[in-house]
Amino acid sequence: MKHNIYLGLLAGCLSLASISCSENQNNLPVTEENNKPEEVNFTVDTLYSALENPWGMVWLEDGRMLVTERKGEILIFENDEYTGNKIQGMPDVYARGQGGLLDIQLHKGWVYIAYAKPMSGGGATTIMRARVDGNSLVDQEELIVTSPASSAGVHFGSRIVFDNEDYLYFSSGERGTKENAQDLTNSHGKIHRINLDGSIPDDNPFVNEPNAITSIWTYGNRNPQGMVYDAENNRIWQHEHGPRGGDELNLVVKGENYGWPLVTFGIDYDGSTITDIQEKEGIKPPVHYWDPSIAPCGMALVTSDKYPGWKGNLLIGALAHQHVARVTLDGTSFGSEERLLQDIGRVRHVAQSTDGYIYVVTESPGLLVKLVPQD
């Protein structure tokens, strides 16, 4: 059942003091001018309210929309309504804790899926691709499996993006073991880059490093659960969970070390200090960070003309604070932030459809909503 709730601008802008520290040289100071919200009025159309733990959204060439559920299901929507059907022929998933069926993307007729694969020793973030024939996955190909497998139920990542040269990038969390992120001999706590068939590009930064995982593009990442490609500027934006404080927005750059756990603005969950270092030579600093944490998950880059005041902005889901953060950018610098959809639920993902509308999925409650602009 659909219903509309008029929201307009659901929240005013936040002061930078509530979301970041002004001492960070990578954050612009917020002034009245650069923190002024763009007026975009919209209604929220609730399309479905029985999701459990949704993760990813994608639109097929025939116009149908697929929504992944972490337990291992893909729900099929058509004309913004749930059809009652699910994709058949799914692989088994390691549905434990934060693991299970994760991101889904479409590229050149193939559906690419990130999921936790059950293996001896636990589960491993895995990328596969397949074609959709009716309601079934066919021609399935496993492209890459991260290693080693782990029994930990946390920090799987994982998002998928493609660049203008048809490389596939995906994120993998450090599986709850901090040291993994700095260790090039394992896949965890990294952004990876592969060819569409799963092979390794010969210009990846660590292909000639002894014993290194050759798919690694960046390292020192904690648990990246949001990633988007800016095709116009040939940039990848990524965000990741910090511990208590220190969630980060990063610009993904080949071969860079993003510092976890050597450098962080957060502290451990028990209140202990992880490190008192926030800057270090050889470490790529975040473009922006959140303290307290918002627990970012999912992200969309607005390119649609349907939201003219938001074009070029990032829309970032917040699990902990249950909103969508609209982040403006000044080139590769942070500009300002506004909270939308406050208290809608734990926002798992934000995506822009092929016809330019913004969709959001949440858990607790499990909603699929569409933001419909109003004149």
Side-chain angles (χ1 to χ4, degrees):
M1 177 181 297
K2 300 180 184 178
H3 63 277
N4 290 329
I5 308 171
Y6 181 71
L7 294 174
L9 289 171
L10 280 166
C13 285
L14 304 174
S15 68
L16 185 60
S18 68
I19 54 176
S20 183
C21 294
S22 58
E23 292 82 8
N24 183 353
Q25 62 184 357
N26 298 285
N27 291 329
L28 293 178
V30 171
T31 65
E32 184 176 350
E33 180 179 356
N34 71 22
N35 201 34
K36 182 179 178 181
E38 296 287 348
E39 294 291 336
V40 173
N41 292 323
F42 58 89
T43 59
V44 174
D45 193 351
T46 300
L47 307 178
Y48 191 64
S49 58
L51 296 172
E52 296 180 41
N53 301 111
W55 190 279
M57 294 176 273
V58 73
W59 286 264
L60 301 177
E61 293 165 330
D62 62 12
R64 293 184 296 166
M65 176 191 186
L66 306 182
V67 177
T68 62
E69 283 273 18
R70 199 168 61 210
K71 64 184 178 182
E73 296 179 346
I74 300 180
L75 282 58
I76 304 173
F77 292 77
E78 192 164 8
N79 298 321
D80 285 345
E81 294 186 353
Y82 179 45
T83 64
N85 296 319
K86 300 171 184 176
I87 293 292
Q88 304 300 307
M90 293 292 298
D92 292 336
V93 302
Y94 182 76
R96 179 185 175 193
Q98 298 169 5
L101 181 58
L102 304 174
D103 203 16
I104 185 168
Q105 297 291 338
L106 181 73
H107 190 71
K108 295 190 172 180
W110 290 89
V111 169
Y112 290 78
I113 295 173
Y115 69 103
K117 178 182 178 180
M119 301 180 66
S120 175
T125 299
T126 299
I127 307 297
M128 66 164 288
R129 70 176 181 178
R131 298 188 188 275
V132 177
D133 182 4
N135 291 346
S136 298
L137 285 186
V138 299
D139 302 330
Q140 297 185 28
E141 299 178 7
E142 185 179 275
L143 303 181
I144 189 168
V145 181
T146 58
S147 63
S150 170
S151 60
V154 297
H155 299 186
F156 292 83
S158 172
R159 295 291 175 183
I160 301 170
V161 299
F162 304 89
D163 70 9
N164 289 333
E165 298 179 87
D166 286 336
Y167 292 111
L168 182 159
Y169 300 78
F170 72 95
S171 61
S172 179
E174 36 80 301
R175 302 304 304 278
T177 300
K178 299 179 180 69
E179 295 75 17
N180 283 343
Q182 293 294 322
D183 184 355
L184 295 179
T185 67
N186 73 58
S187 303
H188 309 314
K190 317 292 194 304
I191 305 296
H192 298 265
R193 176 184 184 244
I194 61 175
N195 293 314
L196 297 181
D197 63 358
S199 60
I200 305 300
D202 58 14
D203 62 341
N204 273 7
F206 303 107
V207 290
N208 296 316
E209 185 83 16
N211 302 316
I213 300 294
T214 55
S215 58
I216 294 172
W217 188 250
T218 72
Y219 65 109
N221 305 105
R222 185 174 183 269
N223 188 28
Q225 291 190 338
M227 192 159 60
V228 293
Y229 178 64
D230 177 355
E232 182 177 350
N233 295 297
N234 191 29
R235 299 173 185 146
I236 296 176
W237 291 98
Q238 168 260 11
H239 65 62
E240 61 187 77
H241 287 265
R244 286 177 55 183
D247 297 340
E248 296 181 359
L249 175 65
N250 291 305
L251 191 65
V252 176
V253 178
K254 176 181 180 178
E256 291 282 4
N257 181 357
Y258 289 81
W260 179 253
L262 306 177
V263 172
T264 181
F265 290 93
I267 59 176
D268 220 334
Y269 293 114
D270 62 4
S272 62
T273 299
I274 297 169
T275 175
D276 57 2
I277 300 173
Q278 285 78 47
E279 296 180 3
K280 186 174 182 179
E281 185 176 354
I283 301 296
K284 183 76 170 174
V287 171
H288 180 63
Y289 71 93
W290 288 269
D291 188 5
S293 295
I294 64 169
C297 192
M299 177 163 53
L301 173 67
V302 181
T303 60
S304 171
D305 292 328
K306 297 186 183 298
Y307 311 86
W310 296 352
K311 198 166 186 179
N313 295 176
L314 298 174
L315 300 180
I316 299 172
L319 295 168
H321 288 220
Q322 302 191 21
H323 66 275
V324 173
R326 182 178 72 87
V327 172
T328 70
L329 300 168
D330 180 8
T332 58
S333 298
F334 172 83
S336 65
E337 180 173 349
E338 176 190 8
R339 287 189 178 185
L340 306 172
L341 305 178
Q342 185 63 59
D343 299 324
I344 192 173
R346 288 166 51 82
V347 178
R348 184 58 72 177
H349 193 33
V350 185
Q352 181 179 288
S353 67
T354 51
D355 58 356
Y357 288 98
I358 300 298
Y359 290 71
V360 178
V361 289
T362 70
E363 56 188 29
S364 301
L367 304 178
L368 168 64
V369 304
K370 178 180 181 179
L371 308 191
V372 182
Q374 303 295 299
D375 294 332

